[in-house]
């Protein structure tokens, strides 16, 4: 039927007939149809309505009514899109209401309706398109369809499509940019979408990434674009509110977009210097839009993580209607600047009045992580007033968020479900030998304003029933939280299900036990490196009279779904056995570095494990094999450092014939389909087929001491683990062949860490591009590395974390290579790397996104002011590790601003010279070598600064 269709239409007299022949325009361009279809009577199609063509189509009405020159002919030929014409005729002749318009039929109906002037059909199409565009984002129309519709509307002047499409895409922009067809959007449609006031994104970074991706793709597709076209594409970047971009992302754009990236980084750093003055000037100049976070009625998430330039003023202004922001607010902000702790009251009153008419009820998640300049007690008011449906709040790595702020958050926003206040864990562990330690406060504590703390949560009898939604609380690393603080958290007893207090070292076993007695609904706990011990285990395993559960379910341990006890040294053997016999339905179990034994693990009879970590324990295959066999859903298995996996239980002789290797491999290969593995002793596969298919879904792999994987296994890893994203090798035999194959064939590899590996590795290994590689650690394996080799790494890998050890041929020029090649580095570790810092560290301080910096034995040229300079120049820096051997003036000054808002830990190692007994003393020469003597550690918490001297290197 592609050639044509004929229809016999009755005229005014029953005896008159007009033959209408519709032929396919695209078919006419080719050969003529040798057998045209026979005529079809309209009466046969129309049933009770003999003239639907005349009634529903002004084209046919004019044609058959005598308005066209062809009207008098008995045979009229119409050339058009046959598919479109058929769709229109079906609509005209079928009963009213039976038409179903879809993404597949819309354009043919529109084309046919326009050609045949079927007004009712066009109205139906418009109604459908408007309805479709008003539906929720979960029903987002296919992007290819919208692009085709946009082009069609432009060609035919359909204004409502051009009016609706930009707004529809803007409201659903988060979904739009995730579609493959996003880069096919025409420039004018993308521009109109970005210009739309309803443009909704999770973060400004999301918008900027999308625009850069679109520009890159369109430049690649059209390499010879006219200059004005290129200018138009780059003009899109002017629509990005660059002052709201994360610092790391801004620095990273310098790698491929040098001019744009430098501009963004400069604006952010300038905003950091005097944010209030910048905002006041913007208000005065009526140019505040650049500083308003994009929040619309369609927003679901607000992600400002990594934006140290974000202040409370910016947060408030972003949710205030533009009519509320003007000269009067400018004066009020400026006059209250001297009263830093009280300026929030002024903004609070302004916002409280504004939200009476509007708030953002769709927002369910706000992320202020790494935003040290937000005044958090004020930010909590912002959350309360602007986001009445907020469910998740994250403020990780924010030392200035105090425990009092948490209590106020619990009081003010009881509807929140999840709170994340984690910070970096302390580097000082119980096993370290502490020589001395002293404490000093972090300065004046901000006043507790009446509005904030009118009620003490412990004294308010109504609060226990009021605060009932907080189910997940993460306090990881907050080693200033005490048992008293933990007791206050027990007001969440009606809702708290998940708690993470990893490395909260001030908490005692008694304090944790009291929390468990009160919060009996907890089913997931991260207690790593705390004093959790025998008393808390008794609480978990004994019946609780306060618990209303019946029968055995009143024992908390029985309901545990997730339990992380790694590093908990206070657990006795008997208590561990008791605990293992009760946690039968747990899915995640971490027992690394605990007193776990075969006897205790044998008591575990659970069969629903997905994650198991028994690293650095004394278990053997006698207890591990049955656990693996029962838990077929195991996805993560970590068993590094388990020497007894080589031996029979209670024996010291290795099993003969290597059967234990076969047994271990047989269990994990016949039962599990792993995604995350950490292996050492007893993991010795020989044949590649042994690991297939059980390792075919592995994404993370760590191989350490106790095993040496053969070259055939290492070379086959990309085939064995096609989804491999992270690979860590310690003390393995590697070669150029192995490394090159990994980089070339593991197309999803993002993390590659090689520690103290042996083999003939050369620079040839890294002359392979790996576009997705982001983290590279080469420690004590590349002594041959030069600046030329470093340049090759820069060319081939876009890194955010770099660690080099033992690269003694590097010099001060390496600094410039690193800072210009990887401007968005967040972590840089350089140890025993020649003379990199011989002339200072000025280039390293140009890596503005650094969060973790380690420089040890890298050249005696680091100035006295390095600590203050680093805090000042690197707004996101949290960890700084130095060696006094590298000081150009025999030491470093204490920071002028010990209140560094992001700084968590500063370590300074001290060395002493020791003469080697294996070398002969030569007159006039020094054969002494530096040996680490002790480490000075400055560690900040939300309340105090702790200075500790540890008798070892950290």
């Amino acid at each position: 039927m592609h050639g044509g269709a004929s229809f016999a239409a009755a005229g005014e007299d029953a005896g008159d007939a007009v033959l209408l022949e519709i032929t396919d325009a695209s078919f006419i361009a080719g050969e003529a149809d040798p057998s045209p279809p026979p005529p079809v009577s309209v009466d046969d199609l129309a049933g009770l309505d003999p003239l639907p063509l005349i009634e529903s189509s002004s084209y046919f009405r004019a044609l058959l009514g005598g308005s066209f020159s062809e009207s008098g002919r008995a045979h009229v030929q119409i050339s058009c899109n046959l598919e479109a014409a058929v769709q229109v005729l079906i609509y005209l002749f079928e009963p009213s209401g039976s038409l179903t318009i879809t993404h597949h039929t819309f354009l043919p109906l529109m084309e046919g309706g326009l050609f045949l002037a079927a007004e009712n059909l066009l109205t139906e199409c418009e109604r459908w398109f408007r309805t479709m565009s008003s539906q929720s984002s979960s029903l987002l129309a296919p992007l290819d369809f919208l692009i085709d519709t946009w082009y069609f509307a432009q060609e035919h002047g359909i204004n409502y499509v051009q009016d609706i499409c930009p707004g529809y895409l803007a409201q659903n922009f988060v979904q739009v940019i995730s579609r493959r067809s996003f880069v096919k959007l025409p420039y004018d449609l993308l521009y109109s979408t970005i210009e739309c006031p309803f443009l909704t994104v999770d973060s400004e970074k999301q918008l900027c990434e999308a625009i850069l991706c679109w520009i890159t793709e369109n430049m690649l597709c059209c390499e010879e674009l006219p200059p004005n076209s290129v200018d138009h594409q780059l003009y899109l970047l002017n629509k990005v509110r660059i002052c709201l971009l994360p610092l790391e992302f801004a620095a990273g754009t310098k790698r491929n977009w040098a001019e744009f990236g430098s501009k963004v980084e400069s604006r952010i750093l300038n905003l950091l210097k005097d944010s209030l003055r910048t905002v006041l000037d913007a208000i005065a100049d009526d140019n505040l839009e650049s500083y308003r976070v994009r929040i619309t009625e369609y927003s679901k998430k607000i992600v400002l993580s990594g934006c140290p330039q974000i202040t409370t003023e910016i947060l408030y202004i972003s949710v205030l209607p533009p009519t509320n922001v003007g000269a009067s607010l400018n004066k009020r902000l400026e006059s209250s600047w001297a009263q830093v702790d009280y300026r929030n009251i002024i903004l609070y009153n302004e916002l409280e009045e504004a939200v009476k008419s509007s708030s953002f009820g769709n927002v369910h998640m706000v992320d202020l992580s790494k935003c040290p300049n937000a005044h958090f007690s004020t930010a909590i008011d912002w959350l309360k007033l602007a986001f009445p449906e907020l469910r998740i709040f994250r403020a990780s790595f924010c030392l200035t968020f105090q425990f009092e702020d948490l209590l106020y958050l619990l009081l003010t926003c009881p509807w929140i479900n999840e709170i994340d206040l984690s910070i970096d864990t302390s580097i000082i562990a119980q096993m370290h030998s502490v020589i001395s330690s002293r404490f000093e406060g972090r300065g004046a504590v901000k006043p507790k304003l009446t509005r904030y703390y009118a009620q003490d949560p412990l004294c308010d009898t109504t609060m226990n029933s009021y605060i009932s939604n907080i189910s997940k609380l993460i306090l990881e690393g907050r080693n200033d939280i005490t048992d008293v603080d933990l007791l206050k958290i027990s007001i969440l007893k009606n809702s708290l299900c998940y708690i993470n207090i990893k490395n909260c070292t001030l908490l005692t076993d008694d304090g944790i036990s009291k929390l468990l007695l009160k919060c009996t609904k907890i089913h997931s706990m991260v207690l790593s490196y705390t004093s959790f011990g025998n008393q808390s285990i008794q609480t978990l395993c004994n019946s609780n009279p306060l618990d209303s559960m019946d029968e055995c379910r009143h024992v908390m341990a029985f309901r545990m779904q997730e339990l992380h006890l790694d590093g908990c040294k206070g657990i006795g053997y008997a208590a561990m056995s008791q605990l293992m016999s009760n946690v039968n339905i747990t899915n995640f179990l971490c027992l690394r570095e605990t007193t776990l034994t075969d006897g205790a693990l044998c008591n575990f009879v659970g069969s629903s494990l997905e994650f198991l970590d028994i690293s650095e324990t004394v278990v053997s295959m006698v207890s591990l094999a049955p656990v693996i066999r029962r838990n077929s859903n195991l996805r993560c298995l970590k068993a590094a450092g388990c020497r007894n996996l080589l031996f029979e239980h209670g024996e010291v002789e290795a099993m003969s014939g290597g059967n234990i290797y076969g047994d271990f491999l047989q269990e994990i290969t016949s039962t599990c389909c792993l995604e995350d593995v950490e292996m050492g002793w007893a993991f010795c596969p020989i044949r590649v087929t042994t690991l297939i298919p059980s390792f075919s879904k592995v994404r993370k792999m760590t191989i350490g001491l106790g095993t040496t994987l053969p070259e055939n296994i290492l070379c086959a890893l990309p085939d064995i683990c096609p989804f491999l994203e992270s690979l860590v090798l310690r003390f393995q035999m590697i070669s150029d062949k192995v490394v090159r194959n990994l980089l070339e064939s593991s197309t999803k590899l993002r993390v590659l860490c090689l520690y103290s590996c042996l083999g003939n590795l050369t620079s040839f290994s890294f002359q392979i591009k790996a576009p997705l590689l982001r983290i590279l650690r080469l420690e004590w394996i590349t002594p041959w590395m030069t600046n030329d080799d470093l340049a090759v790494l820069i060319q081939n890998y876009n890194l955010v974390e770099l660690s080099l050890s033992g690269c003694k041929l590097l010099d001060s020029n390496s600094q410039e290579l690193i800072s210009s090649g990887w401007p968005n580095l967040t972590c840089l570790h350089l140890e025993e790397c020649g003379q990199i810092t011989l002339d200072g560290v000025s280039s390293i301080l140009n890596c503005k996104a650094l969060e973790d910096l380690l420089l040890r034995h890298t050249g005696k040229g680091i100035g006295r002011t390095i600590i203050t300079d680093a805090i000042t120049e690197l707004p996101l820096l949290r960890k700084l590790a130095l060696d006094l051997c590298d000081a150009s003036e025999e030491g470093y000054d204490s920071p002028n601003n010990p209140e560094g808002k992001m700084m968590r830990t500063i370590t300074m190692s001290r060395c002493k010279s020791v003469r080697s007994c294996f070398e002969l003393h030569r007159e006039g020469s020094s054969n002494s070598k530096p040996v680490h003597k002790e480490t000075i550690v400055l560690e900040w918490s939300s309340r105090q600064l702790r200075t500790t001297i540890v008798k070892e290197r950290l």
Side-chain angles (χ1 to χ4, degrees):
M1 189 174 168
H2 63 278
S6 299
F7 299 88
E12 294 182 0
D13 296 324
D16 297 335
V18 177
L19 181 65
L20 302 178
E21 181 180 354
I22 303 175
T23 57
D24 194 338
S26 61
F27 184 80
I28 292 175
E31 297 181 1
D33 192 342
S35 55
V40 179
S41 172
V42 172
D43 289 340
D44 296 337
L45 294 173
L48 298 177
D49 186 1
L51 297 175
L53 296 180
I54 296 175
E55 293 180 355
S56 302
S57 170
S58 58
Y59 175 86
F60 284 122
R61 187 161 54 247
L63 177 66
L64 301 176
S67 299
F68 293 165
S69 59
E70 298 92 342
S71 298
R73 299 178 185 177
H75 178 278
V76 178
Q77 187 180 61
I78 303 171
S79 176
C80 66
N81 184 320
L82 185 60
E83 180 188 0
V86 170
Q87 293 286 352
V88 173
L89 291 171
I90 291 174
Y91 166 75
L92 294 176
F93 292 122
E94 287 194 352
S96 176
S98 63
L99 176 68
T100 300
I101 302 177
T102 67
H103 304 125
H104 301 292
T105 62
F106 176 77
L107 285 179
L109 285 171
M110 284 293 298
E111 184 175 355
L114 287 171
F115 185 83
L116 301 176
E119 293 89 348
N120 292 340
L121 175 59
L122 294 175
T123 301
E124 288 288 337
C125 287
E126 179 178 352
R127 183 181 297 113
W128 176 86
F129 193 81
R130 290 186 182 277
T131 302
M132 179 274 300
S133 63
S134 64
Q135 292 175 340
S136 64
S137 59
S138 60
L139 300 174
L140 181 67
L143 196 53
D144 286 326
F145 160 73
L146 294 173
I147 294 172
D148 292 340
T149 302
W150 176 264
Y151 282 126
F152 181 86
Q154 281 188 322
E155 182 180 352
H156 295 86
I158 304 174
N159 294 330
Y160 72 83
V161 170
Q162 299 180 64
D163 293 338
I164 292 174
C165 271
Y168 180 64
L169 294 179
Q171 295 170 26
N172 301 288
F173 199 71
V174 174
Q175 283 199 52
V176 169
I177 61 179
S178 67
R179 304 292 175 88
R180 290 184 179 180
S181 301
F182 168 72
V183 294
K184 298 178 183 178
L185 282 178
Y187 171 84
D188 50 357
L189 177 56
L190 179 59
Y191 181 85
S192 300
T193 300
I194 295 172
E195 281 277 271
C196 180
F198 298 114
L199 180 65
T200 302
V201 290
D202 296 342
S203 66
E204 203 67 19
K205 171 188 174 183
Q206 199 173 49
L207 173 62
C208 189
E209 278 183 323
I211 293 176
L212 290 174
C213 176
W214 186 92
I215 293 175
T216 301
E217 187 67 23
N218 281 270
M219 283 185 169
L220 289 176
C221 295
C222 308
E223 295 181 356
E224 298 183 358
L225 285 171
N228 60 335
S229 177
V230 175
D231 292 340
H232 282 159
Q233 291 182 350
L234 296 178
Y235 183 69
L236 291 171
L237 291 173
N238 292 334
K239 300 303 175 182
V240 178
R241 299 174 184 178
I242 59 177
C243 292
L244 303 178
L245 290 172
L247 183 55
E248 176 198 343
F249 174 78
T253 57
K254 292 163 60 177
R255 182 176 170 96
N256 297 316
W257 305 85
E259 183 178 351
F260 174 72
S262 298
K263 174 185 175 182
V264 176
E265 185 181 82
S266 177
R267 287 283 297 275
I268 292 174
L269 295 176
N270 288 336
L271 184 59
L272 275 166
K273 293 176 182 177
D274 193 348
S275 60
L276 183 65
R277 174 48 54 191
T278 303
V279 170
L280 293 176
D281 291 342
I283 295 175
D285 298 337
D286 195 22
N287 186 32
L288 194 61
E289 204 64 22
S290 298
Y291 301 93
R292 293 171 66 98
V293 179
R294 295 181 196 269
I295 309 176
T296 72
E297 59 184 284
Y298 306 100
S299 296
K300 295 182 179 179
K301 297 180 181 179
I302 300 173
V303 180
L304 297 171
S305 177
C307 296
Q309 71 274 22
I310 294 295
T311 62
T312 311
E313 290 78 19
I314 291 177
L315 295 179
Y316 272 71
I317 289 170
S318 297
V319 296
L320 286 173
T323 54
N324 292 58
V325 181
S328 60
L329 179 62
N330 192 322
K331 293 179 180 179
R332 295 167 70 183
L333 282 172
E334 193 166 15
S335 63
S336 63
W337 177 243
Q339 304 176 31
V340 176
D341 290 320
Y342 290 90
R343 68 173 187 261
N344 55 327
I345 296 180
I346 295 174
L347 291 169
Y348 178 91
N349 296 333
E350 192 80 21
L351 181 58
E352 188 175 37
E353 183 65 28
V355 296
K356 291 179 180 178
S357 58
S358 65
S359 60
F360 303 95
N362 285 325
V363 173
H364 69 265
M365 193 275 278
V366 171
D367 190 348
L368 295 180
S369 300
K370 302 179 189 176
C371 293
N373 290 304
H375 191 279
F376 281 104
S377 56
T378 316
I380 292 170
D381 284 329
W382 175 71
L383 297 174
K384 177 186 70 173
L385 295 174
F387 312 114
E389 297 298 325
L390 187 66
R391 294 294 177 264
I392 301 173
F393 175 61
R394 294 179 181 143
S396 55
F397 306 109
C398 294
L399 278 179
T400 55
F401 198 108
Q402 299 185 355
F403 188 79
E404 289 75 15
D405 295 324
L406 172 60
L407 295 180
Y408 181 53
L409 178 61
L410 299 180
L411 172 68
T412 307
C413 305
W415 50 82
I416 294 180
N417 297 132
E418 178 182 331
I419 299 174
D420 183 357
L421 303 177
S422 56
I423 60 175
D424 295 298
T425 57
S426 174
I427 65 171
I428 302 175
Q430 295 178 352
M431 62 182 179
H432 293 139
S433 177
V434 176
I435 299 175
S436 65
S437 185
R438 63 182 177 87
F439 301 85
E440 58 183 276
R442 281 188 65 108
V445 179
K446 59 178 178 287
K448 294 185 178 182
L449 303 179
T450 303
R451 191 183 71 252
Y452 286 0
Y453 306 106
Q455 304 175 69
D456 187 328
L458 289 180
C459 301
D460 184 11
T461 57
T462 64
M463 186 169 300
N464 287 345
S465 59
Y466 185 54
I467 299 181
S468 58
N469 288 314
I470 309 294
S471 60
K472 187 172 184 178
L473 181 60
I474 302 176
L475 301 172
E476 180 175 326
R478 293 196 170 264
N479 56 343
D480 55 350
I481 292 179
T482 65
D483 287 350
V484 175
D485 297 327
L486 204 60
L487 189 60
K488 293 178 181 179
I489 294 174
S490 64
I491 60 176
L492 305 174
K493 63 181 181 181
N494 292 329
S495 61
L496 189 62
C497 299
Y498 178 106
I499 187 167
N500 181 342
I501 51 175
K502 178 180 180 179
N503 213 256
C504 294
T505 52
L506 289 186
L507 299 178
T508 66
D509 190 21
D510 181 61
I512 298 173
S513 175
K514 289 179 179 177
L515 175 71
L516 297 177
L517 276 172
K518 290 181 175 292
C519 300
T520 58
K521 292 188 177 181
I522 292 178
H523 57 62
S524 298
M525 298 190 294
V526 181
L527 305 166
S528 311
Y529 302 99
T530 65
S531 297
F532 177 88
N534 299 343
Q535 186 175 345
S536 296
I537 289 178
Q538 290 301 315
T539 302
L540 284 176
C541 297
N542 294 336
S543 59
N544 189 338
L546 300 178
D547 196 339
S548 59
M549 295 286 185
D550 56 358
E551 298 299 329
C552 63
R553 292 187 64 84
H554 67 296
V555 177
M556 283 188 70
F558 185 81
R559 302 195 300 270
M560 280 295 139
Q561 298 175 16
E562 187 170 344
L563 192 57
H564 296 255
L565 302 178
D566 39 318
C568 293
K569 302 295 185 181
I571 305 176
Y573 296 108
M576 179 65 79
S577 295
Q578 183 183 15
L579 180 63
M580 289 297 99
S581 63
N582 282 278
V583 289
N584 296 333
I585 65 168
T586 185
N587 305 120
F588 296 83
L589 187 58
C590 184
L591 303 168
R592 176 189 291 258
E593 299 176 32
T594 63
T595 56
L596 183 69
T597 62
D598 280 337
L601 191 56
C602 284
N603 287 339
F604 177 75
V605 295
S607 58
S608 57
L609 277 178
E610 298 176 17
F611 178 104
L612 177 62
D613 187 351
I614 45 92
S615 300
E616 307 297 336
T617 62
V618 295
V619 299
S620 71
M621 283 304 297
V622 171
S623 60
L624 182 58
V627 172
I628 295 175
R629 192 176 301 123
R630 283 195 309 271
N631 291 272
S632 58
N633 290 325
L634 198 63
R635 296 291 176 264
C636 173
L637 177 59
K638 299 186 177 185
C642 296
R643 292 171 178 257
N644 284 357
L645 293 178
L646 290 169
F647 307 108
E648 286 272 21
H649 177 58
E651 309 231 356
V652 294
E653 294 183 1
M655 295 187 67
S656 60
N659 290 333
I660 188 64
Y661 300 158
D663 289 345
F664 182 59
L665 287 176
Q666 181 179 0
E667 295 299 338
I668 61 177
T669 55
S670 63
T671 306
C672 308
C673 190
L674 298 169
E675 296 178 6
D676 186 353
V677 295
E678 186 173 338
M679 303 293 181
W681 300 95
F683 180 72
C684 298
I686 298 176
R687 293 186 299 274
V688 172
T689 54
T690 306
L691 300 179
I692 300 177
S694 59
F695 278 53
S696 62
K697 293 185 178 180
V698 167
R699 297 180 182 275
K700 297 180 180 179
M701 175 181 287
T702 300
I703 305 296
L705 188 65
T707 185
T708 301
L709 295 185
E711 188 176 63
N712 67 311
I713 297 293
L714 290 173
C715 287
L717 278 181
D719 298 320
I720 299 172
C721 313
F723 302 104
L724 191 64
E725 297 175 2
S726 173
L727 178 63
V728 179
L729 299 178
R730 289 186 172 91
F731 306 107
Q732 299 298 302
M733 289 291 296
I734 59 176
S735 63
D736 287 344
K737 179 181 178 181
V738 168
V739 175
R740 285 179 63 87
N741 188 57
L742 281 169
L743 293 171
E744 184 175 18
S745 303
S746 295
T747 56
K748 299 182 183 296
L749 193 66
R750 299 181 64 87
V751 180
L752 178 61
C753 303
L754 305 176
Y755 300 109
S756 304
C757 292
L758 304 177
N760 298 320
L761 203 65
T762 70
S763 59
F764 184 61
S765 296
F766 301 99
Q767 295 176 8
I768 292 289
K769 288 186 179 296
L772 295 183
L773 192 68
R774 294 295 178 266
I775 298 175
L776 180 63
R777 300 184 185 276
L778 305 174
E779 301 191 5
W780 309 109
I781 64 166
T782 55
W784 40 259
M785 184 172 289
T786 64
N787 286 341
D788 290 339
D789 300 322
L790 198 57
V792 172
L793 295 182
I794 292 170
Q795 182 180 0
N796 291 333
Y797 317 121
N798 183 14
L799 303 179
V800 295
E801 294 188 19
L802 173 67
S803 180
L804 299 175
S805 298
C807 304
K808 296 187 176 182
L809 300 181
L810 299 181
D811 56 32
S812 56
N813 292 325
S814 306
Q815 268 194 61
E816 175 60 28
L817 284 172
I818 292 172
S819 63
S820 60
W822 295 302
N824 58 328
L825 281 178
T826 61
C827 176
L828 177 62
H829 287 191
L830 301 173
E831 182 175 359
E832 299 289 350
C833 285
Q835 301 296 314
I836 286 183
T837 58
L838 185 63
D839 297 327
V841 294
S842 58
S843 293
I844 290 178
L845 296 183
N846 288 330
C847 295
K848 300 300 182 181
L850 276 175
E851 301 175 11
D852 184 353
L853 176 61
L854 181 147
L855 301 170
R856 282 179 173 163
H857 293 174
T858 54
K860 198 176 181 66
I862 301 179
R864 297 190 64 90
T865 61
I866 175 60
I867 297 176
T868 302
D869 293 343
I871 292 175
T872 304
E873 296 292 328
L874 306 175
L876 294 174
L877 189 66
R878 305 195 311 273
K879 300 178 183 178
L880 177 62
L882 303 168
D883 199 302
L884 291 172
C885 293
D886 298 323
S888 60
E889 302 176 59
E890 306 302 327
Y892 305 119
D893 293 337
S894 297
N896 293 329
N897 178 22
E899 307 281 337
K901 293 182 179 179
M902 284 293 289
M903 185 60 71
R904 171 65 167 155
T905 306
I906 297 175
T907 62
M908 293 173 283
S909 298
R910 285 200 289 221
C911 299
K912 61 180 179 180
S913 297
V914 176
R915 179 178 296 176
S916 173
C917 59
F918 297 101
E919 296 183 13
L920 297 175
H921 176 69
R922 296 180 182 177
E923 187 174 349
S925 66
S926 173
N927 59 351
S928 61
K929 295 184 177 180
V931 177
H932 286 94
K933 178 183 179 182
E934 58 196 17
T935 303
I936 304 170
V937 181
L938 280 67
E939 188 173 82
W940 284 265
S941 68
S942 65
R943 294 173 174 169
Q944 62 189 10
L945 166 63
R946 177 187 180 188
T947 303
T948 306
I949 300 179
V950 181
K951 194 178 180 180
E952 57 188 288
R953 178 182 178 181
L954 298 179

